[in-house]
């Protein structure tokens, strides 16, 4: 047995132990584990590495604009929860970074709806005591893209979503910017001797589609989301200072690149992890940042996407199975009713023949009696 196969069996066994006993959770997990690609990319630990799981645009379904109500929230929540659990067990991250748009109706929800969505989020993405997690807000959380930024929602967001970067702050200087607000930069961690300067932004920094500022040009690595798709931007610091873009697909190899002030500026855009965002491909970002074994002079990033299965074909199969079952039951009932009618008709005809036979027998008996008389 190979090490990978043994590790896969350990993952499945651990997932089975950690899943709740409720029938809906077990059914969802079994379905997802059946169709998930068991061979997600492995990252090689070259030197000292930090593994970071990137969660982008989960956009938990709200209560005001959802046409399918509780059934849609239930199914979407189960999909997010199961995929996240499997990604954590498979990738074994040291930290998690949530790149914004955590709620779909963060602006429109009432306070009660907001708090209820937050409780669902905590259940879907549990952060255990001591685990490192960083949260940044998106436009669906606090506004800014096509509406004014809500300062009350911003304050509420960062009051509830507290960062814990204990394991990261000693090695990385991490900052956050919100490009819908012009030039701004908020420090999350500041290392004395930084391995890498990392910028977190909800919207892509190196894309021409969004407002530009120079706050990211001195960074080594940028992590972004927002468009629900995935890709890699490389900004050449020397002339002609071009931006190269590479689209990531489910057949793309693990992206490996050395980062630093003398290397191209790298931006990794992570896709949405929700099947409700209107895109066919969903997944979680897997990022490894390694200090190489060259006396720790170089820093290398490895990036891949832990792709999730498409949900709509599964739902189609469910609905088809339900429709087929109901149609089969109706068909069987109609066939049984037709057979019962045929049997009743047969017995009715037989009864009439017997009645006629009896009446004829009685008549002939009466005739015989009259002749004897």
């Amino acid at each position: 047995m190979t090490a990978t196969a043994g590790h896969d069996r350990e993952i499945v066994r651990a997932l089975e132990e950690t899943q709740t006993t409720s029938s809906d959770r077990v059914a969802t997990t079994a379905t997802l584990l059946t169709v998930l690609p068991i061979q997600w990319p492995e990252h090689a630990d070259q030197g000292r590495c930090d593994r970071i799981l990137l969660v982008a645009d989960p956009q938990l379904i709200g209560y005001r604009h959802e046409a399918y109500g509780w059934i849609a929230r239930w199914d979407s929540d189960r999909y997010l929860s199961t995929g996240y659990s499997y990604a954590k067990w498979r990738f074994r991250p040291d930290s998690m970074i949530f790149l914004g748009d955590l709620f779909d109706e963060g602006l429109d929800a009432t306070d009660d709806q907001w708090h209820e969505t937050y409780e669902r989020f905590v259940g879907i993405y549990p952060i255990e005591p001591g685990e490192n997690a960083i949260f940044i807000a998106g436009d669906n959380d606090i506004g800014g893209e096509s509406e004014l930024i809500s300062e009350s929602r911003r304050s509420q967001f960062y009051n509830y979503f507290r960062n814990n970067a204990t394991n990261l702050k000693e090695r990385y200087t991490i900052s956050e910017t919100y490009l819908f607000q012009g030039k701004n930069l908020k420090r999350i961690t500041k290392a004395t001797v930084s391995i890498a300067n990392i910028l977190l932004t909800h919207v892509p920094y190196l894309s021409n589609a969004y407002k530009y500022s120079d706050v990211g040009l001195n960074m080594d690595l940028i992590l972004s989301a927002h468009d629900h798709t995935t890709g890699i931007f490389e900004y050449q610091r020397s002339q002609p200072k071009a931006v190269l873009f590479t689209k990531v697909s489910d057949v793309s190899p693990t992206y490996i690149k050395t980062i630093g002030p003398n290397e191209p500026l790298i931006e990794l855009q992570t896709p949405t992890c929700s099947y409700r965002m209107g895109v066919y491909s969903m997944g979680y970002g897997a990022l490894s940042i390694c200090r190489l074994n060259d006396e720790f002079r170089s820093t290398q990033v490895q990036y891949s996407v832990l792709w999730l299965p498409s949900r709509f074909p599964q739902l189609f199969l469910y609905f088809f199975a339900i429709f087929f079952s109901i149609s089969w039951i109706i068909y069987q009932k109609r066939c049984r009713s037709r057979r019962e009618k045929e049997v009743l008709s047969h017995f009715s005809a037989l009864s009439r023949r017997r009645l006629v036979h009896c009446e004829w027998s009685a008549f002939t008996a009466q005739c015989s009696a009259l002749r004897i008389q």
Side-chain angles (χ1 to χ4, degrees):
M1 181 178 67
T2 64
T4 302
H7 179 56
D8 291 338
R9 289 188 175 88
E10 290 177 4
I11 292 168
V12 173
R13 182 166 58 252
L15 276 170
E16 291 173 348
E17 292 174 355
T18 56
Q19 297 302 317
T20 60
T21 57
S22 62
S23 59
D24 58 287
R25 187 68 175 270
V26 172
T28 306
T29 302
T31 302
L32 190 57
L33 290 178
T34 300
V35 298
L36 270 174
I38 199 64
Q39 293 298 329
W40 272 341
E42 284 284 356
H43 289 192
D45 289 335
Q46 301 179 3
R48 180 177 179 177
C49 297
D50 291 295
R51 292 183 171 224
I52 303 172
L53 185 67
L54 304 177
V55 183
D57 300 278
Q59 291 191 216
L60 269 65
I61 297 174
Y63 300 86
R64 304 189 66 177
H65 307 306
E66 176 51 50
Y68 300 102
W70 69 268
I71 188 66
R73 288 190 293 272
W74 173 83
D75 188 72
S76 178
D77 288 0
R78 297 286 70 75
Y79 180 88
L80 294 171
S81 176
T82 308
Y84 177 71
S85 298
Y86 191 73
K88 282 188 68 177
W89 279 105
R90 189 69 173 87
F91 184 57
R92 307 181 304 282
D94 307 301
S95 308
M96 282 71 67
I97 296 180
F98 294 80
L99 293 169
D101 274 3
L102 309 188
F103 299 169
D104 188 50
E105 299 178 3
L107 281 177
D108 300 332
T110 64
D111 285 340
D112 289 341
Q113 291 169 345
W114 196 97
H115 285 95
E116 188 169 345
T117 308
Y118 174 79
E119 293 299 328
R120 286 167 47 208
F121 183 93
V122 172
I124 294 170
Y125 297 106
I127 305 299
E128 302 298 331
E131 283 190 326
N132 280 236
I134 296 177
F135 304 87
I136 67 171
D139 55 288
N140 280 39
D141 301 312
I142 63 174
E145 183 174 29
S146 57
E147 62 283 304
L148 295 176
I149 295 174
S150 172
E151 293 300 332
S152 61
R153 284 302 191 208
R154 189 209 296 265
S155 176
Q156 185 178 34
F157 181 94
Y158 287 105
N159 185 45
Y160 277 81
F161 292 101
R162 299 296 183 92
N163 296 330
N164 176 19
T166 304
N167 295 337
L168 299 175
K169 65 182 182 181
E170 298 177 355
R171 296 184 293 281
Y172 304 98
T173 297
I174 303 176
S175 304
E176 172 190 356
T177 187
Y178 196 60
L179 295 181
F180 289 131
Q181 198 178 10
K183 185 175 181 177
N184 62 92
L185 191 69
K186 182 176 75 173
R187 194 82 70 188
I188 298 176
T189 67
K190 182 174 177 57
T192 304
V193 179
S194 181
I195 295 174
N197 293 321
I198 302 175
L199 178 66
L200 308 182
T201 170
H202 175 64
V203 298
Y205 179 82
L206 293 175
S207 171
N208 293 327
Y210 302 101
K211 296 178 181 178
Y212 177 81
S213 72
D214 60 359
V215 296
L217 294 182
N218 294 325
M219 300 294 169
D220 303 317
L221 179 66
I222 300 174
L223 304 177
S224 64
H226 184 65
D227 290 333
H228 305 159
T229 57
T230 182
I232 299 169
F233 298 86
E234 294 186 10
Y235 172 72
Q236 309 299 317
R237 300 182 192 272
S238 58
Q239 294 295 337
K241 296 187 177 181
V243 176
L244 307 178
F245 176 76
T246 304
K247 188 173 180 60
V248 178
S249 70
D250 55 355
V251 297
S252 298
T254 299
Y255 175 78
I256 301 175
K257 190 75 174 180
T258 300
I259 61 173
N262 298 321
E263 302 289 340
L265 172 59
I266 306 301
E267 178 174 350
L268 306 175
Q269 185 180 22
T270 299
T272 178
C273 55
S274 172
Y275 73 87
R276 291 296 305 273
M277 296 300 105
V279 294
Y280 182 77
S281 300
M282 300 76 60
Y284 291 92
L287 171 66
S288 295
I289 306 177
C290 302
R291 292 288 278 170
L292 300 181
N293 293 322
D294 56 352
E295 298 180 359
F296 297 105
R297 292 192 301 267
S298 302
T299 303
Q300 182 188 82
V301 295
Q302 302 177 46
Y303 177 76
S304 59
V305 177
L306 309 179
W307 295 106
L308 299 174
S310 179
R311 183 63 174 154
F312 285 111
Q314 297 178 35
L315 294 176
F316 175 79
L317 289 177
Y318 293 158
F319 291 140
F320 176 79
I322 294 172
F323 175 78
F324 179 81
S325 299
I326 293 174
S327 300
W328 180 256
I329 292 172
I330 294 173
Y331 173 76
Q332 290 296 322
K333 285 186 176 181
R334 288 183 175 179
C335 290
R336 186 179 304 146
S337 176
R338 189 180 299 115
R339 287 195 297 269
E340 289 175 353
K341 288 181 180 180
E342 291 175 354
V343 170
L344 289 175
S345 177
H346 173 74
F347 277 104
S348 177
L350 183 61
S351 298
R352 286 196 298 270
R353 287 197 297 270
R354 287 183 178 178
L355 179 61
V356 170
H357 177 72
C358 291
E359 291 176 348
W360 175 256
S361 299
F363 175 74
T364 54
Q366 290 178 0
C367 292
S368 301
L370 291 172
R371 290 196 191 96
I372 293 173
Q373 292 177 357

